[in-house]
């Protein structure tokens, strides 16, 4: 059976992703001072205006404006921004439900973790290729002045019998100076971004693929001056590219007691270990949490018929080797450190530097 699966990625200058990065930069600055900070400070951006809003209960004295402006400058904005803040402490009703002798979930909700064996990262191939293209573009554009931070890519891959066999279509759109013509943009991006990434794959993957570079023809107005942005609007980009399911809650801005984030990281950790230990070709873990409870209310394991051993053995492996209590999730994955800004772009999964990507013996 043949099918085509498509995933996208966005670069740091995409306004939604810019907001994710700012939110996680704020979280990191709080954690540097107070590892028990309870944070959920988000932002929205349009033109030269940035709105910071949310909740923060922390011992850290945060200069929110400076943190945001430093990120904007790092991304590539050269203009000044007008920043408005609306930030309060976390509701004491929520705080007393979370901070107990044993930490409890900050909210109800379900999360998913997914892994498959079609790439060395044990991730779906379309999203991994899309992220690689965006990361390569971001590295390239920082070397000069003619290309800007805002960019998107979309990768469609043909599957036969559930295995990726060929790139069907690759789209990449990048912002650029008005002095560069469309044909020149196409030639530069093909040479500096596409070829270095596609050469990692066999010629069979690339043969007969459709390549579209800046199909709009012009992309000279970028970032918040082209579009508005908000935290948490790229949850499919952040996870599995539409292949594995997502729970609906975003990651960025949230500290580890927010199970939208920590629970999803742990679910990926378990799913990856199931596949890494060759118990299944694919694995998806669903975890359901309740506010005020230390352990999940529900756990579900799905291997889509690819399991190499009975599902009961996989369940035994999971429940004998993984502790789903929030206290343990935070401890085992070491989630009280200021690690979050770097998660906000190029995907939260499939990157070996993160603790939830390690293989457990």
């Amino acid at each position: 059976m043949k099918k085509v699966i498509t995933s996208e990625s966005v670069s740091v200058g995409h306004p939604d992703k810019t907001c994710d990065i700012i939110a996680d930069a704020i979280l990191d600055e709080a954690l540097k001072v107070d590892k028990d900070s309870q944070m959920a400070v988000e932002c929205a951006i349009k033109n030269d205006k940035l709105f910071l809003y949310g909740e923060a209960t922390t011992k850290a004295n945060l200069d929110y404006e400076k943190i945001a402006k430093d990120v904007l400058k790092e991304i590539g904005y050269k203009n000044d921004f007008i920043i408005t803040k609306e930030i309060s402490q976390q509701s004491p009703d929520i705080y007393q439900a979370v901070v107990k002798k044993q930490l409890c979930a900050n909210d109800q909700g379900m999360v998913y973790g997914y892994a498959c064996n079609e790439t060395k990262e044990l991730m779906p191939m379309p999203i991994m290729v899309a992220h690689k293209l965006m990361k390569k573009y971001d590295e390239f554009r920082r070397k000069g002045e003619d290309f800007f931070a805002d960019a998107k890519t979309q990768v469609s891959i043909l599957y036969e019998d559930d295995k990726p066999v060929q790139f069907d279509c690759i789209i990449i759109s990048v912002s650029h100076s008005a002095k560069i013509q469309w044909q020149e943009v196409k030639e530069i991006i093909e040479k500096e971004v596409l070829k270095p990434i596609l050469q990692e794959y066999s010629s069979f993957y690339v043969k007969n693929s459709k390549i579209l570079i800046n199909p709009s023809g012009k992309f000279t107005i970028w970032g918040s001056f082209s579009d508005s942005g908000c935290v948490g609007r790229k949850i499919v980009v952040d996870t599995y590219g539409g292949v594995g399911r997502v729970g609906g809650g975003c990651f960025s801005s949230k500290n580890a007691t927010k199970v939208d984030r920590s629970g999803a990281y742990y679910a990926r950790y378990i799913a990856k270990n199931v596949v890494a230990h060759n118990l299944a070709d694919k694995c998806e873990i669903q975890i359901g949490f309740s506010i005020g409870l230390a352990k999940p209310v529900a756990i579900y394991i799905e291997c889509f018929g690819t399991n190499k051993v009975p599902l009961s053995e996989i369940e035994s492996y999971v429940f004998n080797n993984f502790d789903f209590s929030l206290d343990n999730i935070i401890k085992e994955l070491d989630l009280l450190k200021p690690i979050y800004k770097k998660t906000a772009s190029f995907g939260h999964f499939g990157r070996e530097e993160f603790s939830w990507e390690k293989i457990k013996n």
Side-chain angles (χ1 to χ4, degrees):
M1 185 182 73
K2 294 184 178 181
K3 61 183 177 182
V4 175
I5 296 178
T6 301
S7 299
E8 72 161 352
S9 181
V10 299
S11 193
V12 297
H14 186 287
D16 291 335
K17 191 48 61 185
T18 294
C19 288
D20 287 342
I21 298 168
I22 292 171
D24 276 340
I26 291 169
L27 172 59
D28 279 357
E29 290 304 311
L31 293 174
K32 287 177 184 178
V33 176
D34 177 8
K35 66 181 179 62
D36 296 317
S37 296
Q38 298 293 315
M39 302 293 293
V41 177
E42 303 184 8
C43 62
I45 194 170
K46 178 57 186 166
N47 292 334
D48 61 350
K49 296 177 178 62
L50 182 75
F51 181 37
L52 298 172
Y53 56 93
E55 298 81 47
T57 299
T58 179
K59 297 173 184 175
N61 184 18
L62 299 175
D63 187 340
Y64 293 98
E65 291 191 20
K66 183 179 186 305
I67 296 168
K69 287 182 177 180
D70 284 349
V71 171
L72 291 164
K73 183 179 179 181
E74 178 186 309
I75 285 171
Y77 285 99
K78 296 180 179 179
N79 57 285
D80 290 328
F81 274 80
I82 300 167
I83 297 180
T84 304
K85 293 185 296 180
E86 188 67 37
I87 300 170
S88 61
Q89 286 197 331
Q90 184 183 66
S91 164
D93 292 349
I94 296 175
Y95 189 85
Q96 62 85 32
V98 173
V99 182
K100 301 178 181 179
K101 185 175 181 180
Q102 185 176 15
L103 275 178
C104 296
N106 186 276
D107 202 350
Q108 70 179 46
M110 75 289 193
V111 298
Y112 289 93
Y114 181 82
C116 60
N117 62 3
E118 62 192 55
T119 64
K120 62 182 177 62
E121 298 89 356
L122 302 186
M123 287 283 288
M125 185 176 283
I127 190 66
M128 287 308 301
V129 177
H131 284 324
K132 287 179 180 180
L133 287 168
M134 279 294 85
K135 195 168 190 301
K136 187 66 177 177
Y137 172 73
D138 195 57
E139 293 168 356
F140 159 72
R141 63 98 183 171
R142 292 179 185 274
K143 298 176 182 177
E145 300 290 332
D146 292 334
F147 290 88
F148 308 138
D150 197 355
K152 302 178 76 171
T153 191
Q154 183 173 288
V155 176
S156 301
I157 293 181
L158 174 66
Y159 285 69
E160 292 183 359
D161 298 325
D162 241 14
K163 301 294 183 184
V165 296
Q166 182 183 332
F167 294 121
D168 184 70
C169 181
I170 297 174
I171 306 169
I172 183 167
S173 296
V174 304
S175 52
H176 59 90
S177 166
K179 66 183 181 183
I180 306 180
Q181 299 302 308
W182 184 35
Q183 189 59 38
E184 188 178 3
V185 170
K186 291 171 65 177
E187 291 171 359
I188 292 171
I189 295 303
E190 183 174 4
K191 176 185 176 183
E192 300 292 342
V193 179
L194 280 166
K195 284 187 175 179
I197 297 303
L198 296 185
Q199 71 182 5
E200 298 179 20
Y201 302 89
S202 70
S203 58
F204 180 70
Y205 271 96
V206 182
K207 187 179 179 181
N208 299 323
S209 302
K210 298 187 289 290
I211 306 292
L212 302 175
I213 302 173
N214 278 33
S216 67
K218 186 168 68 169
F219 189 175
T220 59
I221 303 170
W222 66 276
S224 62
F225 294 91
S226 173
D227 196 1
S228 61
C230 192
V231 168
R233 294 205 298 200
K234 286 292 175 280
I235 58 175
V236 175
V237 170
D238 287 344
T239 52
Y240 307 102
V243 175
R245 285 172 282 193
V246 296
C250 75
F251 302 153
S252 291
S253 84
K254 297 173 181 177
N255 67 286
T257 62
K258 278 75 169 177
V259 290
D260 282 339
R261 184 170 218 161
S262 54
Y265 288 175
Y266 204 66
R268 160 65 179 171
Y269 177 48
I270 297 169
K272 182 175 182 180
N273 273 270
V274 168
V275 175
H277 289 297
N278 202 33
L279 301 176
D281 292 336
K282 300 179 184 179
C283 182
E284 185 172 72
I285 308 289
Q286 185 199 58
I287 311 174
F289 292 94
S290 170
I291 188 170
L293 297 185
K295 293 188 176 183
V297 296
I299 300 167
Y300 176 66
I301 303 170
E302 171 65 77
C303 294
F304 308 97
T306 70
N307 43 300
K308 311 294 183 64
V309 299
L311 194 58
S312 59
E313 288 189 28
I314 295 176
E315 291 171 346
S316 294
Y317 163 73
V318 169
F319 293 118
N320 288 332
N321 288 280
F322 298 92
D323 178 352
F324 289 79
S325 65
L326 183 58
D327 260 340
N328 177 71
I329 290 173
I330 292 171
K331 181 180 178 181
E332 187 171 0
L333 299 185
D334 203 10
L335 297 180
L336 299 183
K337 291 183 176 178
I339 58 171
Y340 296 102
K341 181 185 172 188
K342 63 182 178 181
T343 69
S345 51
F346 313 121
H348 292 248
F349 305 124
R351 298 164 62 187
E352 294 301 322
E353 68 261 39
F354 300 137
S355 60
W356 48 92
E357 294 295 321
K358 66 186 177 183
I359 305 303
K360 186 172 185 175
N361 293 325

